[in-house]
Amino acid sequence: MNRSFTNKIILALLIISGAFLFYTSCSHPMNSSSYVVFGTECRITLPVSDSKKYFDILKQMEKKFSYRDENSEIAKINKNAGIAPVAVSDEVFYVISEAMRFSAETDGAFNPLLLPVIKLWGWDTGEYRVPTKEELERYLPLCDTNNIVLNENDKSVFLTKKGMGLDLGGLLKGYACDVLYEQLKKDGIKKGILNLGGNVFVFGNKEYKVAIQKPYAERGVVADNVFVKNKSVVTSGAYERGFYNNGNYYHHIIDPSTGECAKELYKSVTIVSSSSLVADVYSTAIFVKGDKLKSDFLLNYPEAEVIFN
Ligand code: FAD
Ligand code: MG
């Protein structure tokens, strides 16, 4: 990546959910607004006065994809686990198919079927607990990616065992960034910043400076800066969501091979890519698998960059 940049427009962002700094000195004033969507603060900064249309897109997506919303398509699939296939919209079918493709591509480090184990830990409710080894052994088979059937003909999804569940939290913000970017291009908007709970996408004809949060430090302490143009910057880190129990720290990124929190091979993994979906998936997956997956990733996605902190 070209690390030189002009000073004409410099936007400095902190890659942290819910907060970032923003400066600009361009002729078209940029307006910034934020709402809580996907359970996190989403901020959209554009040279237009009203971003409602784009937040509406995010809210529609949340309605379709949140397993927490019992009327969502994902909740319907989960409710019918072990009972019957559920026909879904083209969009939901596409995202689930992509999630399963990435699961295979990352050799299972990315697994969108971890919901049974995520529930054991209490990540769904916030009532955290540490599951026993026996519980994890009992529930892990429900996360087996062989037990999902995707039928392209009728766009149906079937989780074949009762108790299985889809959770697309590891990639949906990335997908949403890409969808918004495409829409913004169609609408003729030539520059902007999307920050969906730390999934950042910056676009325009100038480089942007994006600052990466130092793990476990106070909000705003910078570990690293990257200079990017028309790219997404996504960070996964254990420090973002976790709880203490008996002096031990437990976090929200699960190693699908054990059901335990992934070992902190690195405190955070940042991916820079032109696809926010790819960046979101691989920040999570490389956090789980570390260096080995990094090499394969860079071979498959040579435009991307991986930053460890
Ligand atoms: P990432 O590293 O990108 O993803 C980690 C998340 O993915 C985990 O939290 C877990 O959900 C899942 N995961 C863990 N391990 C793996 C793995 N190995 N492979 C694949 N996935 C894994 N949160 C709330 O508290 N309240 C809400 O109401 C709420 N609603 C949401 C609605 C939607 C539609 C979505 C997508 C998320 C929602 N969330 C909600 C979740 C919240 O935004 C999460 O913090 C976020 O999705 C996790 O992203 P991340 O960038 O922090 O971490
Ligand atoms: Mg992710």
Side-chain angles (χ1 to χ4, degrees), residues 110 169-174 199 234-236 277 279-285:
F110 185 87
L171 60 61
L172 203 76
K173 290 183 292 172
N199 265 69
V234 179
T235 300
S236 281
L277 174 63
D280 199 2
V281 166
Y282 274 90
S283 63
T284 307

